[in-house]
């Protein structure tokens, strides 16, 4: 029984665009960047830490009662579609 529970834990992280050094180096104007970020209800792109914090939660004992989840990490973007 214990093996079954451990073998079938499933966590899916659905992440939208997030800020990276590679993206920041792209050749777009600050105005274009601000216009694109305005599409997100939180007004910014996610940072790698935003995704990492969700993963850390699900790897911690705090999520012991959760057996599976599909988590959208998108700063509220899906709510606008």
């Amino acid at each position: 029984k214990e093996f079954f529970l451990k073998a079938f834990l499933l966590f899916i992280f659905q992440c939208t665009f997030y800020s990276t050094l590679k993206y920041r180096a792209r050749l777009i104007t600050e105005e274009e960047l601000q216009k694109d970020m305005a599409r997100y209800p939180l007004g910014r792109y996610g940072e790698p830490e935003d995704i990492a914090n969700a993963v850390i939660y699900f790897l911690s004992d705090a999520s012991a009662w959760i057996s599976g989840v599909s988590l959208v990490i998108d700063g509220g973007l899906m709510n606008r579609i």
Side-chain angles (χ1 to χ4, degrees), residues 13-74:
F13 299 95
Q14 301 174 36
C15 307
T16 189
F17 195 82
Y18 62 97
S19 182
T20 63
L21 291 176
K22 184 177 179 180
Y23 178 76
R24 291 179 203 154
R26 292 180 65 180
L27 299 175
I28 64 171
T29 67
E30 184 65 27
E31 183 179 321
E32 291 170 322
L33 182 67
Q34 294 302 320
K35 183 177 178 181
D36 189 56
M37 281 195 295
R39 298 182 312 127
Y40 292 80
L42 295 182
R44 65 175 179 87
Y45 294 135
E47 296 293 332
E49 293 82 10
D50 295 319
I51 297 163
N53 288 336
V55 172
I56 289 168
Y57 169 75
F58 287 108
L59 293 174
S60 75
D61 289 339
S63 68
W65 192 242
I66 299 171
S67 60
V69 69
S70 177
L71 179 65
V72 177
I73 306 172
D74 70 353

